[in-house]
Structure formats: C-alpha cells, structure tokens
C-alpha cells in the first residue's frame, strides 16, 4: 500500500538569476575547493576547516559581501555559509579567491536540511540569520524559516552561551520572531548593546538591509543566547 508523506514547506523559492561568466567560472572551478557537498550524515566542521576554533553558521548569505567582511575581519573564526542562489554563491567564491581567505566554506543546499542532517550537536558558537525572506502575506507565514522546529535545531547545534542572531527589516516578521523565541526552550534574549564588542555578533551592512532602509523600513537586530546545557 502506498503511503504519502507530506512535503515539507520550504522557506525559499529558487529564483533563476543571470550568472556572469566570472560567477560561472567560480562555480565550476572554486566551489569544488571551498564547497561542502550535501550529506545525509553528520560532518565534523573541525575536519572540514582543518582546525578547531570558534565557528559561525551564516544562513542565506545573499551576495556574500557581508560574510566576506566578517571573515576578513576575524581570520581566527571559521564561517560556514549556506545559500541556494547561484549568482550569489559565484560572487562570494570570486571574493574569497581575491582576498585569499581560508576561513570560509560554502554549502549550496537548503539550510534546514543542512542543519538537521549534516551538523553535529554543539558545533557552532553563533548562527546568523540575516534578512530571511519575510513572506509578508499572511497566507505565506507558514513559509517563514523561523518556526519552533527550526529554532530547536539551531539550539541543538549551538554551543553553550552560543549566539543566535536574527536581523529583519519587516516589523511584522520581527514580531513573529519574538513570539517564536519567547516560547523556545533554551534561549534568552540578549541586549544588542552588550554584544557590541563581541566578534561573534559582528555583521557588516547587507544588500537587503540597504534596500530596506531605502524603502523606509526599520532594521531590527535580535540576539539570543543558548542556555547552558
């Protein structure tokens, strides 16, 4: 007898974008070097980077410029970036090559699948979710990535006292995030001012942030600490 399994609602849509010749070259030549293929088994980040140091997971890095700025500023921290938009991946790969950085790796897969299936417990010191798709229409709110199940997986991969940083320029989404995080186990909200000198909480302005400000949107940065286990 056939058993139908419900399809998981994804928080993103793969939108085709124009890939430049340079970006395509980067995808062909550099992604095999700096990319991490998806695996249904746990992957030890320390083995991927070749060292054991503080690590940041950056979900949906867009064009990659903010991620590159952080990695260049803090070479003692390793950054794993997740993105599905090929032009953005190609752009970041080109930037990595030009800057000669060695502390960035890229996974071109669904972030939820990567976190649930690939990443071990307590393997990151910070998780960044900067300007995720807000899905502003009410009927699409179920597509928002910040949901209880996702937050529980973030808690699982964060080390004790690890930071979960979420930024958005949509007031309704900020309200949604606060409601989800208030009922999430293992997290406590932290005042942004207390983290102004914390390298793990650093973020450079992003393309989405600049666009939001041009539209008159207020940018909200929310920080949460993972409780001691």
């Amino acid at each position: 007898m056939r058993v139908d399994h419900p399809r998981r609602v994804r928080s993103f849509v793969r939108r085709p974008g124009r890939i430049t010749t340079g970006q395509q070259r980067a995808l062909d030549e550099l992604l095999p070097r700096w990319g991490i293929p998806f695996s249904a088994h746990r992957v030890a980040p320390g083995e991927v980077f070749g060292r054991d140091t503080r690590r940041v997971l950056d979900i949906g890095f867009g064009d990659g410029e903010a991620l590159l700025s952080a990695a260049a500023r803090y070479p003692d921290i390793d950054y794993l970036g997740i993105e599905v938009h090929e032009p953005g991946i190609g752009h970041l790969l080109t930037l990595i090559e030009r800057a000669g950085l060695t502390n960035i790796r890229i996974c071109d897969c669904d972030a939820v699948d990567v976190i649930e299936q690939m990443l071990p417990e307590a393997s990151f010191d910070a998780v960044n979710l900067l300007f995720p798709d807000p899905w502003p229409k009410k009927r699409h709110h179920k597509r928002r990535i910040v949901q209880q199940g996702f937050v529980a997986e973030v808690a699982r991969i964060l080390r004790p006292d690890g930071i979960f940083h979420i930024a958005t320029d949509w007031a309704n989404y900020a309200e949604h995030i606060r409601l989800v995080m208030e009922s999430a186990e293992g997290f406590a909200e932290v005042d942004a001012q207390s983290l102004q000198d914390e390298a793990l909480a650093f973020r450079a302005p992003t393309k989405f942030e600049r666009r939001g400000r041009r539209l008159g949107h207020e940018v909200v940065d929310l920080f949460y600490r993972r409780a001691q286990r």
Side-chain angles (χ1 to χ4, degrees), residues 20-36:
T20 67
T21 301
Q23 291 167 354
Q24 188 61 59
R25 180 200 67 84
L27 290 169
D28 294 339
E29 299 179 8
L30 302 180
L31 188 57
R33 179 180 180 185
W34 302 117
I36 303 175

Side-chain angles (χ1 to χ4, degrees), residues 12-67:
F12 64 91
V13 174
R14 288 186 181 269
R15 299 180 177 89
R18 179 177 176 273
I19 300 179
T20 67
T21 301
Q23 291 167 354
Q24 188 61 59
R25 180 200 67 84
L27 290 169
D28 294 339
E29 299 179 8
L30 302 180
L31 188 57
R33 179 180 180 185
W34 302 117
I36 303 175
F38 177 78
S39 170
H41 305 284
R42 299 281 191 246
V43 175
E47 295 180 6
V48 170
F49 286 96
R51 64 177 182 175
D52 188 12
T53 185
R54 295 190 296 175
R55 288 186 289 270
V56 174
L57 177 65
D58 196 304
I59 300 171
F61 57 73
D63 64 7
E65 294 190 3
L67 173 54

Side-chain angles (χ1 to χ4, degrees), residues 34 88 136 146 222:
W34 302 117
V146 180
L222 300 170

Side-chain angles (χ1 to χ4, degrees), residues 13-174:
V13 174
R14 288 186 181 269
R15 299 180 177 89
R18 179 177 176 273
I19 300 179
T20 67
T21 301
Q23 291 167 354
Q24 188 61 59
R25 180 200 67 84
L27 290 169
D28 294 339
E29 299 179 8
L30 302 180
L31 188 57
R33 179 180 180 185
W34 302 117
I36 303 175
F38 177 78
S39 170
H41 305 284
R42 299 281 191 246
V43 175
E47 295 180 6
V48 170
F49 286 96
R51 64 177 182 175
D52 188 12
T53 185
R54 295 190 296 175
R55 288 186 289 270
V56 174
L57 177 65
D58 196 304
I59 300 171
F61 57 73
D63 64 7
E65 294 190 3
L67 173 54
L68 186 100
S69 295
R73 184 177 179 129
Y74 298 107
D76 59 325
I77 298 176
D78 286 336
Y79 295 81
L80 173 59
I82 302 177
E83 181 57 70
V84 297
H85 189 54
E86 288 190 336
I89 297 170
H91 184 62
L92 176 57
L93 287 166
T94 301
L95 296 176
I96 293 172
E97 182 182 42
R98 290 175 182 170
L101 299 183
T102 60
N103 61 330
I104 300 177
R105 297 293 185 275
I106 296 171
C107 196
D108 59 341
C109 311
D110 181 348
V112 174
D113 290 339
V114 172
I115 293 173
E116 289 181 352
Q117 300 185 53
M118 288 183 62
L119 303 183
E121 292 186 8
S123 53
F124 285 84
D125 299 273
V127 174
N128 292 337
L129 181 63
L130 307 181
F131 304 96
D133 194 325
W135 294 102
K137 295 181 180 179
K138 188 173 182 179
R139 69 176 184 271
H140 292 155
H141 285 185
K142 62 185 178 182
R143 289 184 173 273
R144 290 175 168 177
I145 192 170
V146 180
Q147 307 289 350
Q148 288 293 346
F150 172 77
V151 172
E153 283 298 306
V154 171
R156 182 183 64 79
I157 67 169
L158 273 174
R159 290 171 175 167
D161 287 329
I163 300 170
F164 185 22
H165 179 186
I166 314 172
T168 182
D169 64 316
W170 286 81
N172 178 266
Y173 200 6

